[in-house]
Amino acid sequence: MSWETVIGLEIHTQLATQSKIFSGAPTAYGAPPNSQACAVDLGLPGVLPVLNKEVVNMAIKFGLAIEAQIAPRSIFARKNYFYPDLPKGYQISQYELPIVEHGQVSIRLDDGSEKIIGVTRAHLEEDAGKSLHEDYHGMTGIDLNRAGTPLLEIVSEPDMRSAAEAVAYMKKIHALVRYLGISDGNMQEGSFRCDANVSVRPKGQEEFGTRSELKNINSFRFVERAINFEVERQIDLLETGGEVIQETRLYDADRDETRSMRTKEEAMDYRYFPDPDLLPVGITAEHIESIRATLPELPEAKKDRFISEYALKAEDAVILTASREMADYFETVARVSGEAKLAGNWVIGELSAYLNKEDMAIGDSPISAEMLAGVIRRISDNTISGKIAKDVFDAMWSGEGDADTIIEKKGLKQITDTGELEAIVDKVIADNPEQVEQFKAGKEKVLGFFVGQCMKATGGKGNPAQLNQMLRDKLGK
């Protein structure tokens, strides 16, 4: 039997506010445990929550970016459940009237086509605390610093059909919230994480299968691995006569497996009701338009502009706009060097390879955009060849200075003296009579061999274009 996978994601994005959603307590990461939770966050008797206006503005901004409806009136509800890290016994969230509904984003599939993923809703809520198990030897510690941290929960339609599509969607949302400046998207610190709802059904069947929810995954790689494991687990279960149970499951990255945490609650189990301490949120059309006026250039628009303004290939523009930081870096290199195509090639090629090798973000690159532009300028004015430029790049990465300093210090200037190059060309031709005959017999590719020999003889400092022309002139005689 052929099976079809059905996936929906619930992405929790921490909003980039200085204080919490209902109190003035700070949201800074890394503070000593329980040093940033005030009486409001703990729900102590006699305190009242006060909504942070900035989280509403951020949610509106996200809704506009995905072409969603912004609710003119939304309310907060109490979601009741009992966990050790939720001292109030309920979480303030939104249920029936969320602030954002019915949006969409497009993702790019491996074959280059686009697919639209529906966004059911995006609602505001407070985060819970955190249970600590390490260093407590059979006991559990509770850190309530995260209690009350503002979250925007982005719930997709079950439109994804593979783990790869889920990762593409998650990356798209991640890039979008960072472009908008509403979240730092730091996955290691828990600012961006997701729950994946996964089910399988016989191909062609309309009805959804029973789903399991994979909880709190904070890595693109782990999302892909967790979904793939879960799909195989459910198919194996069904094909051996078993039954998939609706439940919440944990992904264990060390064992690369999912395992049961608890049976999955339905909405009715949470006994939602409107929070009596918070007034409904009213949003006017004028307020929405004032937020719209602050939207930055979004990834899709930036990609189209890169193609038209810099004459980049579509696939290169997609890579260069994958994050705001990379797009800004590329634009600086292109502007300073005046060579957009070369700038794109170097950012996608050499720079990305070094960043990946060192597992480093582009913001931490030891080579600034201005320094990379300096290398490209020296290629353009024929001071160095492309091959030597890679040596210069490597030296810059090691902290040896900018391009001009390294070129001067290491004597890397390109040889353009006609007499010097001609002597080298004559010697290479004289030393390789067999290849000369092959070229004269019509084997054009042999010219590359001659250029390579000449470059080797000049220690990589010969001008390839000049050598190419001189070889053609002499071999053609």
Side-chain angles (χ1 to χ4, degrees):
M1 179 182 292
S2 294
W3 298 91
E4 182 177 55
T5 303
V6 178
I7 303 165
L9 296 188
E10 299 171 13
I11 295 175
H12 292 82
T13 304
Q14 179 177 328
L15 297 174
T17 56
Q18 296 296 312
S19 59
K20 294 184 177 177
I21 184 169
F22 300 120
S23 79
T27 56
Y29 178 82
N34 298 311
S35 64
Q36 297 190 159
C38 69
V40 174
D41 306 323
L42 274 59
L44 296 182
V47 299
L48 289 173
V50 177
L51 178 60
N52 184 338
K53 182 181 178 182
E54 194 55 30
V55 304
V56 176
N57 292 338
M58 289 180 175
I60 294 172
K61 191 175 276 191
F62 176 78
L64 293 173
I66 61 167
E67 301 174 7
Q69 297 173 13
I70 309 300
R73 180 177 180 274
S74 64
I75 62 173
F76 284 94
R78 290 187 180 182
K79 181 182 181 183
N80 296 275
Y81 57 99
F82 299 96
Y83 290 148
D85 52 16
L86 188 66
K88 291 186 295 192
Y90 63 85
Q91 176 189 28
I92 303 177
S93 181
Q94 293 189 307
Y95 180 52
E96 290 181 320
L97 292 173
I99 192 166
V100 174
E101 283 188 294
H102 310 308
Q104 63 178 36
V105 298
S106 68
I107 59 171
R108 189 179 178 88
L109 305 182
D110 290 341
D111 63 4
S113 62
E114 300 277 332
K115 179 175 180 177
I116 301 297
I117 305 296
V119 175
T120 313
R121 55 190 277 147
H123 60 261
L124 291 165
E125 65 181 21
E126 62 178 344
D127 205 352
K130 185 178 181 183
S131 297
L132 307 172
H133 304 291
E134 295 179 358
D135 303 326
Y136 287 92
H137 307 297
M139 298 184 290
T140 298
I142 302 294
D143 179 6
L144 295 172
N145 281 353
R146 289 193 69 86
T149 297
L151 300 178
L152 185 67
E153 181 173 340
I154 304 160
V155 182
S156 81
E157 293 288 322
D159 289 341
M160 289 154 275
R161 295 292 174 266
S162 69
E165 288 185 12
V167 171
Y169 168 77
M170 192 175 173
K171 284 183 175 178
K172 195 66 179 280
I173 297 291
H174 185 257
L176 185 57
V177 297
R178 288 171 62 84
Y179 262 88
L180 293 170
I182 64 173
S183 174
D184 64 16
N186 191 317
M187 302 176 83
Q188 290 182 327
E189 295 178 1
S191 299
F192 192 87
R193 58 191 193 268
C194 88
D195 303 337
N197 289 295
V198 181
S199 65
V200 297
R201 63 183 175 187
K203 212 152 199 169
Q205 178 179 300
E206 288 288 326
E207 184 184 353
F208 289 144
T210 303
R211 63 188 167 89
S212 58
E213 182 184 44
L214 310 179
K215 201 73 179 168
N216 276 337
I217 311 174
N218 64 347
S219 145
F220 298 126
R221 184 162 57 96
F222 290 167
V223 165
E224 184 165 24
R225 288 167 57 181
I227 290 174
N228 283 333
F229 177 89
E230 184 60 17
V231 168
E232 290 302 316
R233 186 190 73 85
Q234 291 188 17
I235 291 174
D236 287 346
L237 203 56
L238 294 170
E239 289 187 341
T240 54
E243 182 183 0
V244 177
I245 299 169
Q246 184 169 320
E247 62 183 351
T248 299
R249 297 180 69 83
L250 168 75
Y251 175 64
D252 185 330
D254 293 332
R255 298 184 176 183
D256 191 23
E257 65 178 24
T258 67
R259 58 173 181 268
S260 182
M261 289 175 67
R262 59 180 182 269
T263 56
K264 174 64 181 171
E265 299 90 343
E266 297 287 357
M268 66 182 73
D269 296 323
Y270 292 119
R271 294 170 290 115
Y272 282 99
F273 65 87
D275 192 303
D277 292 336
L278 287 161
L279 292 170
V281 179
I283 300 172
T284 64
E286 291 75 16
H287 188 68
I288 293 173
E289 290 311 308
S290 71
I291 298 292
R292 192 191 302 279
T294 68
L295 287 178
E297 185 181 35
L298 297 177
E300 284 298 312
K302 196 179 282 285
K303 180 196 74 177
D304 293 342
R305 181 170 63 80
F306 278 10
I307 293 170
S308 61
E309 185 175 334
Y310 297 119
L312 297 180
K313 292 188 291 185
E315 53 266 37
D316 290 348
V318 168
I319 296 170
L320 291 170
T321 55
S323 73
R324 188 169 179 170
E325 292 80 5
M326 178 171 277
D328 290 346
Y329 189 102
F330 159 74
E331 283 222 89
T332 302
V333 179
R335 174 175 49 78
V336 176
S337 69
E339 296 283 350
K341 191 169 185 333
L342 267 178
N345 291 343
W346 275 83
V347 173
I348 293 171
E350 207 74 3
L351 178 70
S352 294
Y354 273 64
L355 292 173
N356 289 337
K357 183 180 175 185
E358 300 292 335
D359 193 22
M360 187 181 284
I362 196 166
D364 299 324
S365 169
I367 298 179
S368 69
E370 289 77 8
M371 290 171 72
L372 181 54
V375 179
I376 293 173
R377 278 204 305 266
R378 293 299 163 255
I379 299 172
S380 300
D381 65 13
N382 286 325
T383 300
I384 55 174
S385 66
K387 182 178 182 304
I388 291 294
K390 292 184 178 181
D391 295 336
V392 174
F393 183 93
D394 186 71
M396 286 200 306
W397 188 272
S398 300
E400 296 183 37
D402 61 21
D404 287 343
T405 302
I406 293 165
I407 291 168
E408 189 63 36
K409 182 180 174 184
K410 298 195 174 191
L412 297 176
K413 281 185 180 175
Q414 196 162 236
I415 301 170
T416 55
D417 179 80
T418 305
E420 188 176 352
L421 290 179
E422 190 169 11
I424 292 169
V425 167
D426 287 342
K427 184 172 188 312
V428 168
I429 289 175
D431 289 347
N432 297 280
E434 185 179 338
Q435 284 77 10
V436 171
E437 290 304 316
Q438 290 173 353
F439 182 79
K440 288 184 176 177
K443 199 171 180 180
E444 183 79 11
K445 288 183 179 176
V446 178
L447 189 67
F449 164 79
F450 283 113
V451 174
Q453 291 298 308
C454 290
M455 289 297 288
K456 186 178 176 182
T458 61
K461 294 190 287 185
N463 183 316
Q466 203 173 345
L467 286 168
N468 194 298
Q469 189 56 54
M470 292 173 77
L471 283 161
R472 281 188 180 280
D473 291 343
K474 287 182 178 291
L475 290 169
K477 288 180 181 176

